[in-house]
Amino acid sequence: MSPLNPSRLSIARRRRAMTKKALADAAGFGTRTITAYESTRGEIEASPEATKRLADALEFPVSFFDGDDLPEPQIDSASFRSLSRMTARQRDSALASGALGFYLSDWIEAHFRLPAPDIPDMENLDPETAADLVRSAWGLGAYPIENMIHLLESRGVFVFSFDCEKAVDAFSTWKDDRPFVFLGAKKTAERTRMDAAHELAHLTMHRHESKNRRDVEQDAKEFASAFLMPRGDLLARARRSPSTSTVIEDKVRWGVSALAYVVRLYKLRLITEAHYRRLCMLLSAFGYRSDEPNPISHEGSELLRQVFSALWAEGVTRVGIAKQLSLNIADLDSLVFGLLESADRNDDESETAYGVRLRLVKK
């Protein structure tokens, strides 16, 4: 039997954003050979030596290729922000990261009992109403969200990071009845929080709709803004004639970018159109569309931290975890917000925001 599963080869190649020709050149094969190896019809079987050459070229462990097919997010069910802004290779690399996230989540669920999914169905509602109702359903009131990743995890969402080009901000999808959010690793903390809220919009408002319609993306954008900056709190706290300096100071309360804060103020008619345009012009002139002034800290995964802490407490090293999954440490770390390098190994549970304890019970 061939040690090379065609679907796993395809996932590994696309994760590296390599064309078949690029892989063929790197591994010393012809392009037609790579095509045949990836064919599910079993046109030819790869020898152990050929598999080793492919694994070396792709920087995956040889053992990764000798396993069952891996489920993978599908283009029509994944919520990419703008397919027109990304190349097919960037999109496919993100989907391949999603396949590795599914693979890791299955492994985690085989060892731990996780929070059940709790995503309210808000289809056919306007974004502002949907955001208010999700907050109400989750008992959040009108207060700022302390940590978006912790909040999603407490509601049964698997949240993973992925290392991809900036054209791919984030995406979300469902696997069976489990929701997933994948956050790009190259954004500011403020924009990552907005991305997380944006993907929550897709999970709650668009589960059964096409994710690539323009109005769907606009709905998600408006939901995210309303969810992170609820009307009641903004009306009570926001200054009515803010300067750029007070915008930079005040936006920290809601953990959003300066520009997103200004847009929300204008949406709620707390500033005039002329004032809005002036603030946008000044923020752009200062370079604050890409860099963020007065930045907040990046959020990480509490659920994954607890998983790894529990495993480390039992003497399972990060090398051992990677070996069990047949992944290299760098690929695993890119999915888990760098936790393999920085997680506290002495604390296996903690109280997260909103009083939700993510207690993981070994099965």
Side-chain angles (χ1 to χ4, degrees), residues 131-145 151 155 226-233 354:
D132 286 344
L133 289 177
V134 172
R135 278 180 158 271
S136 177
W138 287 353
L140 300 177
Y143 298 103
I145 304 297
L151 175 62
R155 298 297 166 172
F227 190 75
L228 289 176
M229 295 172 281
R231 179 193 300 267
D233 195 46
Y354 322 110

Side-chain angles (χ1 to χ4, degrees), residues 17-34:
M18 295 178 74
T19 62
K20 292 178 181 177
K21 183 180 185 307
L23 176 57
D25 292 344
F29 295 109
T31 304
R32 289 185 179 180
T33 300
I34 301 299

Side-chain angles (χ1 to χ4, degrees), residues 6-7 35-45:
S7 71
T35 299
Y37 283 157
E38 289 192 13
S39 171
T40 57
R41 297 191 299 271
E43 295 177 10
I44 61 173
E45 289 191 353

